[in-house]
């Protein structure tokens, strides 16, 4: 596979409620920012555009169509959309570059979750006969997953709190984060249970926002004269929806994707893992075989701000920008979707 | 560079108003199994699954690919979900092809579906949000004024749409999978059918269907070894433009023109009417046949209706460029799948597998889909001959 | 804050009733529930899966062999819901649990009515509390309860003998929708009886209703343009079918109208004329509701009606008007 360069990345603030900003108003500033970074004018200057979003977040069918209004798509552009996190839009664009149908691509993800009751909305992504009618939500499945691990001794509540404390501490240096604090793990354990065994801080917050990225061939990046990070491997996998058949203490699909993306073929300086719940970071770290030398979620991760449909792509962007800034040589980014990490995407990035 | 890829298996369900006998998983499974059987393969032979469907609100399941993983034998494999409005079936096929054309995967399954009967599709699109105009009369209400403007500009005879409505239903009567089976339909019957959105009559509009369509796309090596004839993918193209902007040409959208030019250039098509043997084109309302004949370069602007009136697009009348031999969207419309059905039927024609609606000796065919406010386009050209 | 005064929010419900067909496997399980019986399904490897899935998670094979199971088992994992949501099956605190029925090899999701969290533990035995009336839905299990709990209540037999093939699945989701900034400004104007569009700084076209951006140029729009009541018919349709929830009686005309000074049409009703007299290029003007009925809605304009002006040439409709004019 040919190397693909990430030359630009921008994200909005993670806001609990973006209020009167509609989708276009959320997207436009991050698009302008990546155009500036890449030194281009608009979507007309790339060969392909792809986005990720979910109609049900805003509660409107075809919500993604409004996104096209932000692109300046006159004359018409080559464009596509996944009803998934925009990390999968990155994958679609990466394939286009691999097959030679594009040399450059613009990607963006956006989500405005604030209007709805997100856990209840997400309950409707489960089996429509057995699960959705009970309105069991994604937090409940995560909580049961955490208890499985606590019961088996694989983790302790302190382990979970340490993930949260590190996330919030790291977020202090992330201007886009929603939740940040300098508290320690022990004090977090004093907090009351939210959905036992999860405390509220074990769960990612609900955020509105958007992010955008520009990728291209290495040749194009050199031509543009922009610094870049290189996608060395990328793979995504899904596993069974029959949760009772899964070993909830593992993420088998992440293991497969990590192997296929080549995580183990070098040291990993930094990893951004899409773990919406604290214990899932521990599962993912194991699934990817990351050692204690790897800095995990230096941005604070999604526990500090989670723009559904954009956060996965933002994980890739966070790693890429650290590599571009010279803070890391090799990194891993992960995105997820579905209950208990059902679907996962892993990207391996390196400095040029 | 892009690797060669070909369609080696096609599976479709029977299209019906309500498929009451199956779950949603059962519906997609039926198409997928048919495609596997057509290609003489099993689940283990599939490297990835690419799923497409129109808005999740049709079935009320958010990202149904999560739940459909097991029905599609995808545990441990890649699954990607495309949604590009009505063009999604076509876009999904194109994304699926790129899994193979990129050289990353050898053989993939792609499936599109809609089980519209679980809700009431037309009104699912019309759910008013606060602070938006509540004047929504469904898709027909959106497209009827555009059709009226086409009629004014082209001075087409009033019955060109009626003619398409009859022709596509007669084609559909040759396709046992088609939803509407109207072998005795007449011009008068269409003309006398109730007016819905003037100038569009009931029989000039597509039905609402349940159904699924699946294809297996393989790389050069595996396609060559496939038991049945492959349909080689000669070109794929997509174009999008905003729904509304000042000066937008709605009758003859630029995105459609550009998309066609792109796919023709890849496939070496210079004169689509001559170089293609048939086309499966997304025509949900009768008048869109003459409109797309012009948009896709089969006729000069303002002259598309002449091909329709001269039977050029009729398989039964021996037209030189049959359109929608399967009966088209006017005969079956499971929205999320409708675009993929066009792509799959084009493949079946060049594979010589279209049976009762086969164009004799078809070598090269166009598959076309559009969506949104006629703003999202996807197309491919497939051929019996390996490039 | 001035900005927040401009914010327009309103709750709305995205609600549909879905009628699902179940297929034979899900249907048979729901039929069993209606008869207050539990059944699992045998997987390719011989394991008994709960609830019965149509397709094997590992081999992808279609599964068909049902296995009768008792209605009691063990909690494998659980979580505690101290503040149930409105949609939840219990309005008192309860547990979600993965429960492995005796004889099954996988646990199934349901809820446990244990009263308080301390009564819950992994490994505890629970049994089904059947609903007094069964309907062939997951809710026929009115939660599980600790094994020791005595179950009273009058279980009405369900005499239905047909196999279930479908189920009702109403889904009502409530959203608090907030209008975008441009839309809010526009609606504030229309509440005062004014039609105010926005001009693109790049292509100079005028949009009404404005959306805060020019879709063609992909740039924000800020400059406001006050427009009048007169418009031209760009195209139209005569709608003959009734729209649920729409009080207008068919047939009626919905027209694409371009306001004078604007460059993009919007849809509105056309009235006070014969439907057959409506034509492209026809000149019309807005008929407003009485001022006391004005709200934040385009419906402040009841409809447009024809005016006695010559038709506009087709080529002129919606075209950019010289700013000097």
């Amino acid at each position: 596979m040919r190397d693909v360069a990430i030359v630009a990345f921008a994200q909005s603030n993670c806001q609990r409620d973006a209020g009167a900003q509609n989708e276009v108003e959320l997207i436009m500033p991050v698009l302008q920012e990546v155009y500036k970074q890449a030194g281009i004018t608009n979507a007309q200057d790339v060969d392909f555009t792809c986005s990720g979003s979910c109609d049900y977040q805003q509660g409107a069918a075809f919500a993604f169509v409004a996104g096209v209004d932000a692109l300046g798509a006159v004359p018409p552009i080559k464009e596509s959309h996944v009803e998934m996190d925009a990390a999968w839009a990155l994958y679609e664009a990466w394939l286009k570059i691999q097959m030679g149908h594009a040399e450059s691509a613009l990607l963006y993800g956006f989500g405005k979750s604030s209007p709805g009751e997100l856990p209840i909305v997400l309950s409707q992504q489960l089996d429509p006969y057995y699960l959705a009618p009970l309105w069991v939500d994604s937090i409940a499945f995560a909580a049961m997953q955490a208890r499985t691990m606590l019961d088996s001794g694989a983790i302790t509540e302190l382990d979970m709190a340490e993930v949260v404390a590190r996330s919030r501490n790291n977020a202090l240096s992330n201007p886009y984060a929603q939740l940040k604090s300098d508290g320690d793990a022990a004090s977090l354990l004093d907090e009351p249970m939210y959905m036992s065994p999860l405390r509220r801080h074990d769960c990612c917050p609900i955020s509105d926002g958007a992010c955008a990225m520009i990728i291209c061939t290495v040749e194009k990046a050199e031509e543009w004269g922009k610094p870049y990070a290189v996608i060395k491997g990328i793979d995504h996998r899904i596993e069974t929806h029959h949760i009772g058949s899964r070993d909830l203490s593992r993420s088998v699909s992440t293991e497969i994707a990590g192997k296929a993306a080549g995580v183990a073929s070098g040291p990993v300086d930094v990893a951004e893992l899409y773990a919406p719940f604290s214990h899932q970071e521990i599962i993912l770290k194991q699934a990817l075989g990351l050692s204690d030398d790897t800095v995990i979620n230096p941005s604070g991760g999604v526990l500090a701000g989670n723009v559904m449909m954009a956060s996965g792509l933002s994980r890739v962007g966070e790693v890429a920008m650290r590599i571009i800034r010279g803070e890391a040589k090799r990194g891993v980014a992960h995105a997820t979707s579905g209950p208990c990490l059902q679907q996962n995407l892993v990207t391996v990035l390196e400095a040029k | 560079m892009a690797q060669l890829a070909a369609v080696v298996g096609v599976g479709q369900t029977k299209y019906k108003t309500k498929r009451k006998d199956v779950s949603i998983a059962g519906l997609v499974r039926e198409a997928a199994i048919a495609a596997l059987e057509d290609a003489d393969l099993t689940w283990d032979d599939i490297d990835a699954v690419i799923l497409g469907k129109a808005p999740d609100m049709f079935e009320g399941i958010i990202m149904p690919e999560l739940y459909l993983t097991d029905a599609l034998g995808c545990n441990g494999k890649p699954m990607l979900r495309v949604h590009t409005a009505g063009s999604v079936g076509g876009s999904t096929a194109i994304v699926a092809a790129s899994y193979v054309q990129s050289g990353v995967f050898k053989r993939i399954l792609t499936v599109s579906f809609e089980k519209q009967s679980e809700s009431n599709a037309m009104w699912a699109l019309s759910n008013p949000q606060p602070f938006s105009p509540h004047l929504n009369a469904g898709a027909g209400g959106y497209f009827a004024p555009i059709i009226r403007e086409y009629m004014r500009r082209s001075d087409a005879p009033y019955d060109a749409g009626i003619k398409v409505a009859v022709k596509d239903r007669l084609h559909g009567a040759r396709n046992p999978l088609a939803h509407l089976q109207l072998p005795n339909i007449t011009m008068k019957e269409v003309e006398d059918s109730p007016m819905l959105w003037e100038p569009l009559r009931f029989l000039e509009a597509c039905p609402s269907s349940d159904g699924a369509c699946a294809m297996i796309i393989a790389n050069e090596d595996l396609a060559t070894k496939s038991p049945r004839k492959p349909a080689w993918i000669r070109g794929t193209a997509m174009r999008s433009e905003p729904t509304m902007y000042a000066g937008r040409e709605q009758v003859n959208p630029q995105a459609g023109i550009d998309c066609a030019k792109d796919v023709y250039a890849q496939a070496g098509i210079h004169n689509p009417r001559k170089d293609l043997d048939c086309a499966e084109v997304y025509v949900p309302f009768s008048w869109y046949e003459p409109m797309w004949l012009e948009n896709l370069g089969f006729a000069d602007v303002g002259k598309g209706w002449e091909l329709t009136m001269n039977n050029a697009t009729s398989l039964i009348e021996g037209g030189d460029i049959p359109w929608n031999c399967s009966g088209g969207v006017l005969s079956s419309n499971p929205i999320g799948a409708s675009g993929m059905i066009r792509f799959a039927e084009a493949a079946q024609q060049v594979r010589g597998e279209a049976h009762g609606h086969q164009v004799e000796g078809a070598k090269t065919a166009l598959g076309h889909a559009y969506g949104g406010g006629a703003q999202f386009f996807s197309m491919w050209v497939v051929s019996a001959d390996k490039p | 804050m001035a900005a927040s005064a401009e914010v327009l929010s309103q709750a709305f419900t995205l609600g549909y009733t879905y009628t699902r067909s179940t297929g034979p496997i899900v249907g048979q399980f729901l039929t069993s529930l209606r008869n207050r019986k539990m059944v699992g399904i045998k997987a390719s490897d011989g394991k008994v899966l709960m609830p019965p899935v149509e397709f094997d998670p590992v081999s992808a094979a279609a599964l068909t062999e049902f296995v009768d199971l008792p209605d009691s088992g063990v909690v494998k994992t659980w979580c505690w819901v101290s503040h149930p949501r409105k949609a939840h099956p219990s309005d008192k605190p309860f547990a979600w649990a993965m429960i492995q029925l005796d004889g099954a090899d996988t646990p199934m999701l349901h809820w446990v009515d244990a009263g308080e969290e301390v009564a819950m533990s992994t490994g505890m035995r629970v049994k089904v509390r059947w609903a007094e009336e069964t309907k062939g839905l997951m809710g026929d299990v009115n939660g599980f309860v600790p094994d020791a709990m005595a179950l009273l209540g009058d279980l009405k037999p369900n005499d239905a003998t047909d196999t279930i093939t479908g189920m009702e699945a109403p889904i009502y989701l409530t959203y608090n929708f907030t209008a975008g900034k441009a839309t809010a400004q526009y609606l504030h104007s229309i509440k005062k009886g004014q039609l105010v569009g926005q001009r693109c700084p790049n292509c100079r076209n005028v949009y009404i209703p404005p959306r805060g951006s020019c879709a063609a140029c992909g740039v924000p729009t800020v400059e406001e343009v006050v427009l009048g009541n007169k418009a031209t018919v760009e195209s139209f349709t005569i709608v003959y079918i009734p729209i649920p929830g729409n009080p207008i009686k068919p047939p009626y005309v919905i027209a694409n109208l371009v306001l004078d000074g604007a460059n993009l049409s919007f849809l509105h009703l056309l009235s006070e004329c014969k439907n057959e007299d409506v034509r492209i290029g026809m000149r019309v003007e807005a008929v407003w509701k009485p001022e006391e009925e004005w709200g934040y809605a385009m419906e402040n304009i009841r409809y447009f009606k024809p005016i006695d002006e010559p038709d506009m040439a087709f080529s002129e409709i919606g075209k950019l008007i010289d700013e000097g004019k």
Side-chain angles (χ1 to χ4, degrees):
Chain A
M1 292 305 112
R2 67 199 290 183
D3 288 352
V4 171
I6 297 176
V7 290
F9 170 70
Q11 58 187 314
S12 68
N13 288 335
C14 295
Q15 310 174 65
R16 178 59 186 88
D17 185 350
Q21 277 175 290
N22 65 21
E23 292 83 359
V24 175
E25 290 159 347
L26 282 171
I27 297 164
M28 255 189 212
V30 292
L31 292 181
Q32 295 300 333
E33 174 60 26
V34 290
Y35 298 156
K36 209 173 89 189
Q37 287 176 22
I40 64 174
T41 311
N42 56 32
Q44 299 289 341
D45 295 338
V46 293
D47 298 331
F48 182 61
T49 300
C50 197
S51 63
S53 70
C54 171
D55 284 352
Y56 266 94
Q57 270 171 294
Q58 294 92 330
F62 302 116
F64 72 92
V65 176
V68 178
D69 287 358
L71 300 173
V74 178
I77 59 170
K78 300 173 186 175
E79 188 263 352
S80 188
H81 172 260
V82 294
E83 194 81 353
M84 309 178 82
D85 188 288
W88 278 267
L90 165 65
Y91 191 83
E92 185 178 329
W94 179 83
L95 289 176
K96 280 268 190 301
I97 292 178
Q98 293 303 331
M99 69 186 275
H101 260 210
E103 289 187 359
S104 57
L106 168 69
L107 314 159
Y108 62 97
F110 62 101
K112 204 175 165 186
S113 298
S114 60
E117 189 183 359
L118 191 61
I120 287 296
V121 170
L122 289 180
S123 72
Q124 300 306 299
Q125 80 174 183
L126 301 170
D127 181 307
Y129 312 99
Y130 297 152
L131 298 176
L134 293 172
W135 300 92
V136 56
D137 55 58
S138 43
I139 304 173
F141 275 108
M144 289 187 283
Q145 181 180 39
R147 188 177 305 278
T148 300
M149 298 176 71
L150 289 166
D151 284 344
S152 73
I155 58 168
T156 64
E157 289 190 27
L158 185 63
D159 294 335
M160 292 164 68
E162 276 169 354
V163 169
V164 179
R166 176 169 38 74
S167 157
R168 300 251 171 120
N169 292 351
N170 288 351
L172 287 169
S173 56
N174 176 359
Y176 308 103
Q178 187 174 335
L179 300 177
K180 37 184 111 179
S181 67
D182 53 7
D184 62 1
S187 58
L188 288 173
L189 289 178
D190 294 336
E191 298 288 320
M193 286 293 174
Y194 170 54
M195 190 179 286
S196 160
L198 297 183
R199 294 174 173 83
R200 197 173 277 276
H201 56 240
D202 290 309
C203 314
C204 60
I206 294 169
S207 318
D208 293 345
C211 73
M213 178 181 283
I214 293 175
I215 62 170
C216 60
T217 59
V218 168
E219 295 74 17
K220 190 88 192 169
E222 295 289 349
E223 180 192 319
W224 281 346
K226 299 293 170 190
Y228 58 90
V230 177
I231 298 176
K232 281 298 199 187
I234 183 167
D235 192 82
H236 65 99
R237 302 283 157 163
I238 198 166
E239 57 195 282
T240 177
H241 191 64
H242 188 243
I243 292 172
S245 287
R246 286 176 49 191
D247 174 356
L248 291 181
S249 63
R250 283 174 64 193
S251 177
V252 175
S253 50
T254 303
E255 291 169 19
I256 303 171
K259 223 164 262 161
V263 171
S265 48
V268 180
D269 302 329
V270 61
E272 282 280 341
L273 309 179
Y274 195 152
F277 301 93
S278 56
H279 64 280
Q280 292 179 342
E281 187 189 291
I282 299 165
I283 298 175
L284 292 168
K285 185 183 167 190
Q286 274 168 3
L288 292 167
L290 299 177
S291 76
D292 290 339
D293 296 336
T294 301
V295 177
I296 292 178
N297 289 340
S299 72
V302 296
L303 289 175
N306 181 31
V307 179
M308 279 197 72
M309 304 302 126
S311 278
L313 184 63
S314 284
R315 305 276 68 70
V316 182
E318 286 283 355
V319 173
M321 295 318 265
R322 277 185 170 72
I323 290 173
I324 288 174
R325 290 198 299 264
E327 296 166 21
K329 286 222 169 313
R330 188 166 185 275
V332 169
H334 159 268
T336 196
S337 173
C340 293
L341 306 168
Q342 190 193 341
Q343 187 173 23
N344 299 282
L345 180 145
V346 178
T347 309
V348 175
L349 299 136
E350 286 181 13
K352 69 166 173 172
Chain B
M1 268 321 290
Q3 311 279 311
L4 286 182
V7 177
V8 298
V10 171
Q12 302 182 57
T13 63
K14 163 75 184 161
Y15 304 111
K16 281 176 79 166
T17 307
K18 287 180 198 287
R19 279 296 305 271
K20 289 185 184 171
D21 57 322
V22 286
S23 65
I24 293 165
L27 186 76
V28 298
R29 174 84 171 192
E30 197 174 301
I33 289 280
L36 284 173
E37 283 173 357
D38 185 33
D40 197 19
L41 298 171
T42 67
W43 292 110
D44 290 341
D45 300 316
I46 299 300
D47 298 332
V49 180
I50 296 86
L51 187 90
K53 75 172 297 300
D56 292 354
M57 279 160 210
F58 280 148
E59 291 84 9
I61 306 169
I62 301 173
M63 303 175 175
E65 63 277 10
L66 295 168
Y67 143 71
L68 291 171
T69 300
D70 299 286
L72 296 173
C74 203
N75 192 356
K77 297 176 187 174
M79 163 79 86
L80 188 105
R81 158 74 191 290
V82 182
H83 177 12
T84 61
S87 66
V88 65
S91 313
T92 305
I94 289 175
V95 176
S98 72
Y99 270 69
V100 177
Q101 291 169 312
S102 61
V104 179
F105 295 92
K106 292 191 173 76
R107 187 161 46 200
I108 57 84
L109 169 70
T110 182
V111 187
S112 288
F113 78 98
E114 208 69 72
K115 202 157 182 298
Q116 261 157 262
S117 68
E118 306 241 330
S119 71
N120 188 335
M122 187 174 146
W123 308 117
L125 298 174
S126 306
N127 189 53
Q129 272 200 324
F131 314 122
S132 59
H134 288 196
L135 261 184
N136 195 331
Y142 181 86
F143 290 111
I146 301 171
I147 290 168
R148 181 183 302 279
E149 172 64 8
Y150 170 74
M151 293 164 79
R152 184 194 69 75
R153 283 191 205 172
S154 65
D155 212 11
Y158 83 102
D159 56 352
I162 296 172
K163 180 119 181 163
V164 175
V166 171
K167 184 257 305 177
D168 279 2
R169 270 52 174 267
L170 292 177
H171 285 171
R174 293 180 165 210
N175 173 9
L177 298 177
H179 175 175
L180 298 183
Q181 291 292 329
L182 303 169
N184 303 312
I185 192 169
T186 62
M187 298 276 285
K188 182 162 189 324
E189 198 182 338
V190 176
E191 189 166 355
D192 291 347
S193 68
M195 196 60 87
L196 301 182
W197 306 278
E198 195 189 283
L200 271 176
R201 295 169 182 82
F202 175 71
L203 282 173
E204 291 179 275
C206 56
S208 171
S209 319
D210 285 353
C213 178
M215 289 190 284
I216 291 163
I217 298 173
N219 68 10
E220 183 179 7
D221 178 42
L222 294 173
T224 311
K225 292 175 189 153
S226 193
R228 291 195 178 77
K229 266 176 72 174
W232 295 97
I233 299 167
R234 303 294 297 264
T236 63
M238 291 165 77
R239 285 295 185 286
S240 306
E241 65 184 35
T243 321
M244 289 184 286
Y245 60 90
R248 174 162 187 240
E249 170 53 55
Q250 287 190 284
V251 173
N252 191 13
Q254 191 64 40
I257 296 171
D258 293 357
C259 191
K261 276 190 185 150
D262 186 355
V263 81
Y264 294 158
Q266 292 171 44
I269 307 284
H270 304 289
N271 178 339
R273 186 170 174 182
K274 282 208 175 70
D275 300 343
L276 292 164
D277 297 306
C278 57
E280 283 280 338
V281 178
Y282 205 103
V283 177
F285 302 107
S286 60
W287 280 93
Y288 268 87
E289 174 170 302
M291 288 162 69
W292 289 152
L293 277 164
E294 297 168 23
N295 190 246
L296 299 174
F298 288 74
D300 290 339
V301 171
K303 303 291 184 194
W305 57 269
E306 289 181 6
L307 271 67
T308 298
M309 296 310 282
N310 295 339
N311 295 323
T313 57
S314 168
L315 171 69
I316 291 160
E317 300 293 336
D320 64 285
I321 183 66
W323 268 37
N324 293 324
C325 300
S326 67
V329 181
L330 282 170
S331 296
S332 317
N333 185 33
I335 294 186
S338 288
M340 187 170 287
I341 299 167
R342 309 278 71 73
F343 279 48
E345 283 287 347
Q348 293 297 65
Q349 288 289 350
V350 302
R351 296 174 78 208
E353 297 280 348
H355 305 291
H357 57 281
Q358 177 72 46
V359 175
E360 216 47 57
K363 290 267 183 234
T364 308
L366 170 71
H368 162 282
Y370 84 91
Q375 64 188 115
F376 301 118
F377 291 83
S378 56
M379 304 177 197
W380 81 4
V381 170
V382 284
S383 173
D385 300 325
K386 193 163 126 182
Chain C
M1 225 166 50
S4 63
E6 296 287 315
V7 172
L8 284 181
S9 291
Q10 187 180 314
F12 90 105
T13 300
L14 180 75
Y16 296 107
T17 55
Y18 294 92
T19 306
R20 305 209 181 286
S21 51
T22 58
I25 302 300
V26 175
Q28 184 155 342
F29 176 67
L30 296 179
T31 304
S32 299
L33 287 185
R34 193 177 60 189
N35 296 329
R36 300 192 175 90
K37 286 197 168 67
M38 282 292 185
V39 288
I41 202 158
K42 203 165 260 188
S44 302
D45 61 3
K47 281 185 183 157
V48 176
L49 307 182
M50 271 304 279
V53 290
E54 294 179 84
F55 306 105
D56 191 283
V58 181
S59 73
L63 303 178
T64 53
E65 194 184 340
F66 282 92
V67 180
D68 288 338
L69 293 173
D71 61 0
S72 58
V74 173
V75 169
K76 303 297 279 185
T77 182
W78 57 280
C79 65
W80 187 251
V81 182
S82 49
H83 299 285
R85 293 172 186 271
K86 206 172 149 217
H88 283 159
S90 169
D91 51 12
K92 298 180 304 183
F94 70 98
W96 292 114
M98 295 297 285
I99 298 154
Q100 191 157 326
L101 296 182
D102 299 335
D105 293 291
T106 66
M108 65 180 285
L109 181 282
H110 222 291
W111 66 283
V112 179
D113 187 358
E116 48 188 357
E117 189 178 352
V118 292
M120 286 299 303
S121 61
T122 301
M124 74 188 280
R125 288 202 58 83
V126 290
K127 62 186 177 187
V128 171
R129 178 172 64 190
W130 293 103
E132 288 183 14
E133 274 185 78
T134 58
K135 296 172 181 165
L137 293 170
M138 282 306 271
D140 289 349
V141 173
N142 184 23
F144 284 68
V145 294
D147 234 4
M149 190 185 286
L151 286 176
L152 306 166
D154 182 19
L155 298 187
K156 297 193 184 95
N158 191 317
D159 300 329
T161 53
D162 60 308
T163 302
I164 287 171
T165 58
M167 60 180 263
E168 296 301 319
I171 300 175
Y172 292 89
L173 298 171
T174 303
Y175 293 85
N176 184 42
F177 183 84
T178 304
K181 207 168 113 198
T183 301
Q185 281 173 359
Y186 162 74
L187 292 173
H188 277 283
S189 302
I190 206 166
K191 187 159 191 309
K192 293 181 259 172
Q194 262 197 335
L195 293 166
V196 182
Q198 284 183 337
R199 188 189 301 278
C200 171
N202 190 31
C203 67
R204 307 299 294 160
N205 283 300
V206 173
Y207 291 92
I208 185 161
R211 298 201 292 173
S213 61
C214 172
C217 303
V219 297
T221 51
V222 181
E223 183 191 337
E224 297 201 320
V225 183
V226 179
L227 298 165
N229 280 326
K230 290 186 180 178
T232 304
V233 174
E234 185 187 52
S235 194
F236 64 98
T237 180
I238 306 171
V239 182
Y240 284 81
I241 51 167
I243 301 173
N246 189 331
I248 312 157
K249 289 235 157 47
Y252 55 88
V253 176
I254 289 183
N256 306 59
L257 301 170
V258 189
L259 277 185
D260 290 0
N263 305 105
L264 189 68
S265 66
F266 56 82
L267 291 178
H268 215 303
L269 292 168
L270 204 54
S271 198
E272 289 193 35
C273 60
K274 288 186 184 154
N275 289 350
E276 53 271 30
D277 290 343
V278 179
R279 60 203 177 271
I280 296 172
M282 189 162 87
R283 298 283 293 153
V284 296
E285 83 181 356
V287 176
W288 291 73
K289 286 181 180 171
E291 194 174 336
E292 57 274 19
E293 292 178 28
W294 289 352
Y296 295 105
M298 195 58 169
E299 284 79 25
N300 290 357
I301 296 175
R302 199 188 297 279
Y303 51 78
F304 282 74
K305 67 170 187 188
I307 50 174
D308 191 18
E309 283 187 14
D311 285 5
M312 188 178 275
F314 301 131
S315 57
E316 294 298 313
I317 303 170
K319 289 290 158 0
L320 189 58
I321 294 167
D322 287 345
E323 284 172 57
K325 271 191 199 169

